[in-house]
mmCIF file of all heavy atoms in Angstrom:
data_model
loop_
_atom_site.group_PDB
_atom_site.id
_atom_site.type_symbol
_atom_site.label_atom_id
_atom_site.label_comp_id
_atom_site.label_asym_id
_atom_site.label_seq_id
_atom_site.Cartn_x
_atom_site.Cartn_y
_atom_site.Cartn_z
ATOM 1 N N LEU A 1 85.587 102.266 96.230
ATOM 2 C CA LEU A 1 86.567 103.079 95.505
ATOM 3 C C LEU A 1 86.406 102.886 94.003
ATOM 4 O O LEU A 1 86.321 103.871 93.247
ATOM 5 C CB LEU A 1 87.986 102.699 95.945
ATOM 6 C CG LEU A 1 89.139 103.263 95.096
ATOM 7 C CD1 LEU A 1 89.144 104.780 95.112
ATOM 8 C CD2 LEU A 1 90.476 102.698 95.570
ATOM 9 N N VAL A 2 86.373 101.646 93.565
ATOM 10 C CA VAL A 2 86.277 101.351 92.136
ATOM 11 C C VAL A 2 84.985 101.923 91.548
ATOM 12 O O VAL A 2 84.987 102.503 90.454
ATOM 13 C CB VAL A 2 86.371 99.832 91.893
ATOM 14 C CG1 VAL A 2 85.988 99.479 90.458
ATOM 15 C CG2 VAL A 2 87.786 99.340 92.187
ATOM 16 N N ALA A 3 83.900 101.800 92.281
ATOM 17 C CA ALA A 3 82.620 102.334 91.792
ATOM 18 C C ALA A 3 82.704 103.842 91.582
ATOM 19 O O ALA A 3 82.190 104.377 90.587
ATOM 20 C CB ALA A 3 81.503 101.992 92.774
ATOM 21 N N SER A 4 83.369 104.532 92.498
ATOM 22 C CA SER A 4 83.487 105.983 92.365
ATOM 23 C C SER A 4 84.386 106.356 91.192
ATOM 24 O O SER A 4 84.127 107.335 90.486
ATOM 25 C CB SER A 4 84.004 106.598 93.668
ATOM 26 O OG SER A 4 85.380 106.321 93.895
ATOM 27 N N LEU A 5 85.443 105.588 90.962
ATOM 28 C CA LEU A 5 86.337 105.848 89.843
ATOM 29 C C LEU A 5 85.641 105.611 88.503
ATOM 30 O O LEU A 5 85.805 106.392 87.556
ATOM 31 C CB LEU A 5 87.585 104.967 89.954
ATOM 32 C CG LEU A 5 88.506 105.265 91.141
ATOM 33 C CD1 LEU A 5 89.540 104.157 91.305
ATOM 34 C CD2 LEU A 5 89.200 106.608 90.970
ATOM 35 N N GLU A 6 84.868 104.545 88.432
ATOM 36 C CA GLU A 6 84.160 104.245 87.192
ATOM 37 C C GLU A 6 83.063 105.270 86.914
ATOM 38 O O GLU A 6 82.808 105.619 85.749
ATOM 39 C CB GLU A 6 83.603 102.826 87.249
ATOM 40 C CG GLU A 6 84.719 101.770 87.248
ATOM 41 C CD GLU A 6 84.217 100.350 87.189
ATOM 42 O OE1 GLU A 6 83.015 100.125 87.456
ATOM 43 O OE2 GLU A 6 85.032 99.443 86.889
ATOM 44 N N ARG A 7 82.439 105.765 87.958
ATOM 45 C CA ARG A 7 81.397 106.789 87.789
ATOM 46 C C ARG A 7 81.987 108.051 87.172
ATOM 47 O O ARG A 7 81.334 108.724 86.367
ATOM 48 C CB ARG A 7 80.754 107.100 89.141
ATOM 49 C CG ARG A 7 79.701 108.202 89.105
ATOM 50 C CD ARG A 7 79.041 108.373 90.468
ATOM 51 N NE ARG A 7 80.024 108.679 91.504
ATOM 52 C CZ ARG A 7 80.481 109.904 91.747
ATOM 53 N NH1 ARG A 7 80.068 110.933 91.016
ATOM 54 N NH2 ARG A 7 81.352 110.117 92.720
ATOM 55 N N LEU A 8 83.236 108.356 87.534
ATOM 56 C CA LEU A 8 83.899 109.556 87.028
ATOM 57 C C LEU A 8 84.760 109.280 85.799
ATOM 58 O O LEU A 8 85.424 110.178 85.288
ATOM 59 C CB LEU A 8 84.774 110.169 88.133
ATOM 60 C CG LEU A 8 84.022 110.677 89.364
ATOM 61 C CD1 LEU A 8 85.000 111.031 90.476
ATOM 62 C CD2 LEU A 8 83.146 111.877 89.010
ATOM 63 N N ASP A 9 84.765 108.021 85.335
ATOM 64 C CA ASP A 9 85.514 107.610 84.150
ATOM 65 C C ASP A 9 87.009 107.879 84.303
ATOM 66 O O ASP A 9 87.670 108.401 83.392
ATOM 67 C CB ASP A 9 84.972 108.319 82.896
ATOM 68 C CG ASP A 9 85.428 107.640 81.601
ATOM 69 O OD1 ASP A 9 85.686 106.419 81.628
ATOM 70 O OD2 ASP A 9 85.528 108.340 80.576
ATOM 71 N N LEU A 10 87.555 107.492 85.456
ATOM 72 C CA LEU A 10 88.972 107.669 85.735
ATOM 73 C C LEU A 10 89.711 106.344 85.555
ATOM 74 O O LEU A 10 89.208 105.287 85.943
ATOM 75 C CB LEU A 10 89.175 108.178 87.165
ATOM 76 C CG LEU A 10 88.596 109.567 87.469
ATOM 77 C CD1 LEU A 10 88.688 109.869 88.963
ATOM 78 C CD2 LEU A 10 89.323 110.640 86.661
ATOM 79 N N ASP A 11 90.892 106.408 84.974
ATOM 80 C CA ASP A 11 91.717 105.205 84.813
ATOM 81 C C ASP A 11 92.260 104.764 86.171
ATOM 82 O O ASP A 11 92.649 105.601 86.997
ATOM 83 C CB ASP A 11 92.904 105.491 83.884
ATOM 84 C CG ASP A 11 92.466 105.817 82.473
ATOM 85 O OD1 ASP A 11 91.363 105.398 82.077
ATOM 86 O OD2 ASP A 11 93.233 106.502 81.764
ATOM 87 N N TYR A 12 92.312 103.452 86.384
ATOM 88 C CA TYR A 12 92.781 102.978 87.689
ATOM 89 C C TYR A 12 93.400 101.597 87.594
ATOM 90 O O TYR A 12 93.169 100.839 86.645
ATOM 91 C CB TYR A 12 91.634 102.957 88.699
ATOM 92 C CG TYR A 12 90.544 101.943 88.395
ATOM 93 C CD1 TYR A 12 90.626 100.631 88.874
ATOM 94 C CD2 TYR A 12 89.436 102.283 87.623
ATOM 95 C CE1 TYR A 12 89.631 99.701 88.605
ATOM 96 C CE2 TYR A 12 88.436 101.363 87.341
ATOM 97 C CZ TYR A 12 88.540 100.073 87.834
ATOM 98 O OH TYR A 12 87.569 99.149 87.562
ATOM 99 N N VAL A 13 94.204 101.299 88.603
ATOM 100 C CA VAL A 13 94.780 99.975 88.815
ATOM 101 C C VAL A 13 94.588 99.634 90.280
ATOM 102 O O VAL A 13 94.952 100.424 91.159
ATOM 103 C CB VAL A 13 96.289 99.939 88.481
ATOM 104 C CG1 VAL A 13 96.883 98.589 88.852
ATOM 105 C CG2 VAL A 13 96.529 100.233 87.016
ATOM 106 N N VAL A 14 94.002 98.496 90.570
ATOM 107 C CA VAL A 14 93.821 98.029 91.946
ATOM 108 C C VAL A 14 94.523 96.681 92.083
ATOM 109 O O VAL A 14 94.220 95.741 91.353
ATOM 110 C CB VAL A 14 92.332 97.905 92.313
ATOM 111 C CG1 VAL A 14 92.175 97.277 93.684
ATOM 112 C CG2 VAL A 14 91.663 99.278 92.287
ATOM 113 N N LEU A 15 95.469 96.614 93.016
ATOM 114 C CA LEU A 15 96.297 95.417 93.167
ATOM 115 C C LEU A 15 95.898 94.639 94.424
ATOM 116 O O LEU A 15 96.063 95.143 95.536
ATOM 117 C CB LEU A 15 97.770 95.814 93.264
ATOM 118 C CG LEU A 15 98.332 96.641 92.109
ATOM 119 C CD1 LEU A 15 99.755 97.082 92.434
ATOM 120 C CD2 LEU A 15 98.289 95.853 90.818
ATOM 121 N N PRO A 16 95.410 93.410 94.285
ATOM 122 C CA PRO A 16 95.151 92.572 95.454
ATOM 123 C C PRO A 16 96.438 91.904 95.916
ATOM 124 O O PRO A 16 97.265 91.493 95.094
ATOM 125 C CB PRO A 16 94.149 91.543 94.928
ATOM 126 C CG PRO A 16 94.464 91.424 93.465
ATOM 127 C CD PRO A 16 94.979 92.767 93.022
ATOM 128 N N ILE A 17 96.628 91.809 97.233
ATOM 129 C CA ILE A 17 97.791 91.097 97.767
ATOM 130 C C ILE A 17 97.349 90.145 98.867
ATOM 131 O O ILE A 17 96.337 90.376 99.536
ATOM 132 C CB ILE A 17 98.873 92.063 98.319
ATOM 133 C CG1 ILE A 17 98.368 92.803 99.580
ATOM 134 C CG2 ILE A 17 99.331 93.040 97.261
ATOM 135 C CD1 ILE A 17 99.469 93.488 100.372
ATOM 136 N N GLU A 18 98.078 89.083 99.037
ATOM 137 C CA GLU A 18 97.891 88.215 100.192
ATOM 138 C C GLU A 18 98.502 88.900 101.415
ATOM 139 O O GLU A 18 99.464 89.663 101.289
ATOM 140 C CB GLU A 18 98.556 86.859 99.963
ATOM 141 C CG GLU A 18 97.974 86.055 98.816
ATOM 142 C CD GLU A 18 96.566 85.563 99.078
ATOM 143 O OE1 GLU A 18 96.209 85.404 100.277
ATOM 144 O OE2 GLU A 18 95.828 85.338 98.105
ATOM 145 N N SER A 19 97.965 88.641 102.576
ATOM 146 C CA SER A 19 98.493 89.277 103.777
ATOM 147 C C SER A 19 99.963 88.927 103.971
ATOM 148 O O SER A 19 100.384 87.781 103.792
ATOM 149 C CB SER A 19 97.703 88.838 105.014
ATOM 150 O OG SER A 19 98.248 89.443 106.178
ATOM 151 N N LEU A 20 100.741 89.930 104.332
ATOM 152 C CA LEU A 20 102.171 89.746 104.593
ATOM 153 C C LEU A 20 102.438 89.441 106.066
ATOM 154 O O LEU A 20 103.591 89.357 106.475
ATOM 155 C CB LEU A 20 102.935 90.999 104.173
ATOM 156 C CG LEU A 20 102.798 91.380 102.693
ATOM 157 C CD1 LEU A 20 103.515 92.690 102.406
ATOM 158 C CD2 LEU A 20 103.334 90.268 101.803
ATOM 159 N N GLY A 21 101.376 89.276 106.843
ATOM 160 C CA GLY A 21 101.531 88.865 108.243
ATOM 161 C C GLY A 21 101.032 89.867 109.258
ATOM 162 O O GLY A 21 100.553 89.490 110.315
ATOM 163 N N THR A 22 101.155 91.167 108.950
ATOM 164 C CA THR A 22 100.668 92.206 109.860
ATOM 165 C C THR A 22 100.026 93.319 109.044
ATOM 166 O O THR A 22 100.332 93.501 107.853
ATOM 167 C CB THR A 22 101.795 92.820 110.717
ATOM 168 O OG1 THR A 22 102.686 93.560 109.868
ATOM 169 C CG2 THR A 22 102.562 91.745 111.474
ATOM 170 N N TRP A 23 99.168 94.077 109.710
ATOM 171 C CA TRP A 23 98.538 95.212 109.046
ATOM 172 C C TRP A 23 99.589 96.213 108.581
ATOM 173 O O TRP A 23 99.493 96.762 107.488
ATOM 174 C CB TRP A 23 97.546 95.887 110.000
ATOM 175 C CG TRP A 23 96.860 97.057 109.383
ATOM 176 C CD1 TRP A 23 95.696 97.040 108.677
ATOM 177 C CD2 TRP A 23 97.310 98.422 109.375
ATOM 178 N NE1 TRP A 23 95.385 98.301 108.220
ATOM 179 C CE2 TRP A 23 96.364 99.169 108.644
ATOM 180 C CE3 TRP A 23 98.424 99.065 109.920
ATOM 181 C CZ2 TRP A 23 96.498 100.548 108.449
ATOM 182 C CZ3 TRP A 23 98.562 100.430 109.728
ATOM 183 C CH2 TRP A 23 97.605 101.158 108.996
ATOM 184 N N ARG A 24 100.599 96.476 109.403
ATOM 185 C CA ARG A 24 101.639 97.442 109.042
ATOM 186 C C ARG A 24 102.388 97.025 107.779
ATOM 187 O O ARG A 24 102.627 97.833 106.885
ATOM 188 C CB ARG A 24 102.625 97.623 110.203
ATOM 189 C CG ARG A 24 103.845 98.474 109.892
ATOM 190 C CD ARG A 24 103.487 99.912 109.553
ATOM 191 N NE ARG A 24 102.782 100.557 110.651
ATOM 192 C CZ ARG A 24 101.839 101.491 110.487
ATOM 193 N NH1 ARG A 24 101.484 101.865 109.277
ATOM 194 N NH2 ARG A 24 101.245 102.030 111.533
ATOM 195 N N LYS A 25 102.762 95.754 107.694
ATOM 196 C CA LYS A 25 103.462 95.287 106.495
ATOM 197 C C LYS A 25 102.573 95.415 105.265
ATOM 198 O O LYS A 25 103.041 95.820 104.190
ATOM 199 C CB LYS A 25 103.911 93.831 106.673
ATOM 200 C CG LYS A 25 105.058 93.652 107.664
ATOM 201 C CD LYS A 25 105.429 92.182 107.786
ATOM 202 C CE LYS A 25 106.560 91.978 108.784
ATOM 203 N NZ LYS A 25 106.895 90.541 108.944
ATOM 204 N N ASN A 26 101.308 95.068 105.420
ATOM 205 C CA ASN A 26 100.373 95.191 104.295
ATOM 206 C C ASN A 26 100.238 96.644 103.859
ATOM 207 O O ASN A 26 100.192 96.949 102.662
ATOM 208 C CB ASN A 26 99.001 94.638 104.675
ATOM 209 C CG ASN A 26 99.021 93.146 104.963
ATOM 210 O OD1 ASN A 26 99.948 92.441 104.580
ATOM 211 N ND2 ASN A 26 98.004 92.667 105.659
ATOM 212 N N SER A 27 100.154 97.531 104.844
ATOM 213 C CA SER A 27 100.027 98.959 104.544
ATOM 214 C C SER A 27 101.285 99.481 103.851
ATOM 215 O O SER A 27 101.216 100.207 102.853
ATOM 216 C CB SER A 27 99.772 99.743 105.835
ATOM 217 O OG SER A 27 99.767 101.129 105.594
ATOM 218 N N ASN A 28 102.440 99.104 104.364
ATOM 219 C CA ASN A 28 103.700 99.597 103.810
ATOM 220 C C ASN A 28 103.992 99.061 102.412
ATOM 221 O O ASN A 28 104.827 99.622 101.694
ATOM 222 C CB ASN A 28 104.858 99.251 104.747
ATOM 223 C CG ASN A 28 104.942 100.199 105.933
ATOM 224 O OD1 ASN A 28 104.137 101.124 106.059
ATOM 225 N ND2 ASN A 28 105.908 99.988 106.803
ATOM 226 N N TYR A 29 103.273 98.009 102.023
ATOM 227 C CA TYR A 29 103.444 97.477 100.679
ATOM 228 C C TYR A 29 103.029 98.494 99.616
ATOM 229 O O TYR A 29 103.395 98.363 98.441
ATOM 230 C CB TYR A 29 102.650 96.180 100.505
ATOM 231 C CG TYR A 29 102.897 95.490 99.189
ATOM 232 C CD1 TYR A 29 104.012 94.679 99.011
ATOM 233 C CD2 TYR A 29 102.037 95.674 98.117
ATOM 234 C CE1 TYR A 29 104.259 94.060 97.793
ATOM 235 C CE2 TYR A 29 102.277 95.062 96.896
ATOM 236 C CZ TYR A 29 103.380 94.257 96.741
ATOM 237 O OH TYR A 29 103.625 93.648 95.528
ATOM 238 N N CYS A 30 102.299 99.529 100.026
ATOM 239 C CA CYS A 30 101.883 100.552 99.064
ATOM 240 C C CYS A 30 103.087 101.130 98.325
ATOM 241 O O CYS A 30 102.990 101.492 97.147
ATOM 242 C CB CYS A 30 101.083 101.656 99.741
ATOM 243 S SG CYS A 30 102.039 102.798 100.752
ATOM 244 N N SER A 31 104.229 101.210 99.003
ATOM 245 C CA SER A 31 105.431 101.744 98.359
ATOM 246 C C SER A 31 105.862 100.872 97.188
ATOM 247 O O SER A 31 106.242 101.383 96.120
ATOM 248 C CB SER A 31 106.561 101.857 99.388
ATOM 249 O OG SER A 31 106.818 100.589 99.996
ATOM 250 N N VAL A 32 105.800 99.574 97.365
ATOM 251 C CA VAL A 32 106.140 98.634 96.293
ATOM 252 C C VAL A 32 105.106 98.729 95.173
ATOM 253 O O VAL A 32 105.448 98.707 93.979
ATOM 254 C CB VAL A 32 106.216 97.193 96.833
ATOM 255 C CG1 VAL A 32 106.513 96.205 95.707
ATOM 256 C CG2 VAL A 32 107.264 97.080 97.936
ATOM 257 N N ALA A 33 103.842 98.853 95.559
ATOM 258 C CA ALA A 33 102.770 98.952 94.570
ATOM 259 C C ALA A 33 102.916 100.209 93.720
ATOM 260 O O ALA A 33 102.685 100.182 92.506
ATOM 261 C CB ALA A 33 101.416 98.932 95.271
ATOM 262 N N VAL A 34 103.309 101.313 94.345
ATOM 263 C CA VAL A 34 103.536 102.551 93.587
ATOM 264 C C VAL A 34 104.689 102.359 92.607
ATOM 265 O O VAL A 34 104.594 102.719 91.425
ATOM 266 C CB VAL A 34 103.830 103.733 94.536
ATOM 267 C CG1 VAL A 34 104.341 104.946 93.750
ATOM 268 C CG2 VAL A 34 102.585 104.101 95.327
ATOM 269 N N LEU A 35 105.780 101.782 93.082
ATOM 270 C CA LEU A 35 106.947 101.556 92.222
ATOM 271 C C LEU A 35 106.580 100.673 91.037
ATOM 272 O O LEU A 35 106.935 100.974 89.883
ATOM 273 C CB LEU A 35 108.075 100.913 93.035
ATOM 274 C CG LEU A 35 109.382 100.638 92.299
ATOM 275 C CD1 LEU A 35 109.995 101.924 91.775
ATOM 276 C CD2 LEU A 35 110.366 99.902 93.208
ATOM 277 N N THR A 36 105.847 99.597 91.298
ATOM 278 C CA THR A 36 105.427 98.677 90.238
ATOM 279 C C THR A 36 104.557 99.373 89.206
ATOM 280 O O THR A 36 104.718 99.165 87.993
ATOM 281 C CB THR A 36 104.662 97.489 90.853
ATOM 282 O OG1 THR A 36 105.510 96.807 91.784
ATOM 283 C CG2 THR A 36 104.202 96.520 89.783
ATOM 284 N N THR A 37 103.652 100.224 89.684
ATOM 285 C CA THR A 37 102.743 100.917 88.773
ATOM 286 C C THR A 37 103.476 101.954 87.928
ATOM 287 O O THR A 37 103.219 102.084 86.724
ATOM 288 C CB THR A 37 101.602 101.580 89.568
ATOM 289 O OG1 THR A 37 100.962 100.598 90.396
ATOM 290 C CG2 THR A 37 100.560 102.178 88.632
ATOM 291 N N LEU A 38 104.395 102.699 88.534
ATOM 292 C CA LEU A 38 105.193 103.651 87.773
ATOM 293 C C LEU A 38 105.998 102.947 86.677
ATOM 294 O O LEU A 38 106.122 103.449 85.551
ATOM 295 C CB LEU A 38 106.143 104.407 88.708
ATOM 296 C CG LEU A 38 105.524 105.443 89.644
ATOM 297 C CD1 LEU A 38 106.529 105.862 90.716
ATOM 298 C CD2 LEU A 38 105.027 106.659 88.876
ATOM 299 N N GLN A 39 106.534 101.779 86.998
ATOM 300 C CA GLN A 39 107.324 101.037 86.026
ATOM 301 C C GLN A 39 106.456 100.429 84.928
ATOM 302 O O GLN A 39 106.852 100.375 83.757
ATOM 303 C CB GLN A 39 108.118 99.937 86.741
ATOM 304 C CG GLN A 39 109.210 100.474 87.657
ATOM 305 C CD GLN A 39 109.817 99.393 88.535
ATOM 306 O OE1 GLN A 39 109.180 98.390 88.854
ATOM 307 N NE2 GLN A 39 111.073 99.602 88.944
ATOM 308 N N LYS A 40 105.258 100.007 85.293
ATOM 309 C CA LYS A 40 104.365 99.368 84.317
ATOM 310 C C LYS A 40 103.760 100.377 83.353
ATOM 311 O O LYS A 40 103.476 100.047 82.197
ATOM 312 C CB LYS A 40 103.251 98.616 85.052
ATOM 313 C CG LYS A 40 102.345 97.806 84.131
ATOM 314 C CD LYS A 40 101.343 96.990 84.921
ATOM 315 C CE LYS A 40 100.458 96.173 83.994
ATOM 316 N NZ LYS A 40 99.482 95.342 84.756
ATOM 317 N N PHE A 41 103.565 101.600 83.829
ATOM 318 C CA PHE A 41 102.961 102.648 83.008
ATOM 319 C C PHE A 41 103.930 103.835 82.917
ATOM 320 O O PHE A 41 103.719 104.879 83.532
ATOM 321 C CB PHE A 41 101.625 103.101 83.605
ATOM 322 C CG PHE A 41 100.604 102.012 83.704
ATOM 323 C CD1 PHE A 41 100.465 101.289 84.891
ATOM 324 C CD2 PHE A 41 99.789 101.695 82.631
ATOM 325 C CE1 PHE A 41 99.521 100.279 84.991
ATOM 326 C CE2 PHE A 41 98.844 100.686 82.726
ATOM 327 C CZ PHE A 41 98.713 99.970 83.903
ATOM 328 N N PRO A 42 105.020 103.685 82.154
ATOM 329 C CA PRO A 42 106.076 104.700 82.146
ATOM 330 C C PRO A 42 105.638 106.060 81.615
ATOM 331 O O PRO A 42 106.315 107.061 81.870
ATOM 332 C CB PRO A 42 107.164 104.071 81.261
ATOM 333 C CG PRO A 42 106.433 103.083 80.412
ATOM 334 C CD PRO A 42 105.340 102.556 81.269
ATOM 335 N N ASN A 43 104.534 106.104 80.903
ATOM 336 C CA ASN A 43 104.060 107.369 80.343
ATOM 337 C C ASN A 43 102.917 107.988 81.149
ATOM 338 O O ASN A 43 102.288 108.948 80.688
ATOM 339 C CB ASN A 43 103.606 107.166 78.893
ATOM 340 C CG ASN A 43 104.742 106.707 77.992
ATOM 341 O OD1 ASN A 43 105.850 107.222 78.082
ATOM 342 N ND2 ASN A 43 104.470 105.732 77.153
ATOM 343 N N ARG A 44 102.658 107.432 82.331
ATOM 344 C CA ARG A 44 101.557 107.946 83.148
ATOM 345 C C ARG A 44 102.062 108.307 84.539
ATOM 346 O O ARG A 44 102.862 107.575 85.142
ATOM 347 C CB ARG A 44 100.450 106.886 83.309
ATOM 348 C CG ARG A 44 99.764 106.482 82.030
ATOM 349 C CD ARG A 44 98.942 107.606 81.426
ATOM 350 N NE ARG A 44 97.866 108.062 82.283
ATOM 351 C CZ ARG A 44 96.646 107.504 82.317
ATOM 352 N NH1 ARG A 44 96.381 106.451 81.559
ATOM 353 N NH2 ARG A 44 95.705 107.993 83.103
ATOM 354 N N ASN A 45 101.577 109.426 85.048
ATOM 355 C CA ASN A 45 101.772 109.741 86.451
ATOM 356 C C ASN A 45 100.815 108.900 87.275
ATOM 357 O O ASN A 45 99.845 108.344 86.756
ATOM 358 C CB ASN A 45 101.545 111.232 86.688
ATOM 359 C CG ASN A 45 102.500 112.098 85.889
ATOM 360 O OD1 ASN A 45 103.639 111.718 85.670
ATOM 361 N ND2 ASN A 45 102.036 113.256 85.438
#
């Protein structure tokens, strides 16, 4: 993913997380990651 973004010169944020115990919990963490990113970059969609 990162290689493709850099090839196209797109801005990105990739957040590593420790496992929360199950695949579903890890997947659902995307909602928190979106919220965190919106708050961190208030002028960016």
Side-chain angles (χ1 to χ4, degrees):
L1 169 61
V2 168
S4 72
L5 294 168
E6 293 185 344
R7 177 176 58 84
L8 296 170
D9 197 27
L10 296 172
D11 295 336
Y12 67 89
V13 174
V14 174
L15 304 174
I17 67 165
E18 297 292 334
S19 179
L20 301 176
T22 67
W23 180 90
R24 173 63 59 213
K25 289 180 181 178
N26 296 342
S27 175
N28 281 0
Y29 186 82
C30 74
S31 57
V32 178
V34 169
L35 181 61
T36 301
T37 306
L38 288 167
Q39 292 170 333
K40 186 175 181 179
F41 300 94
N43 298 317
R44 296 293 298 274
N45 300 326

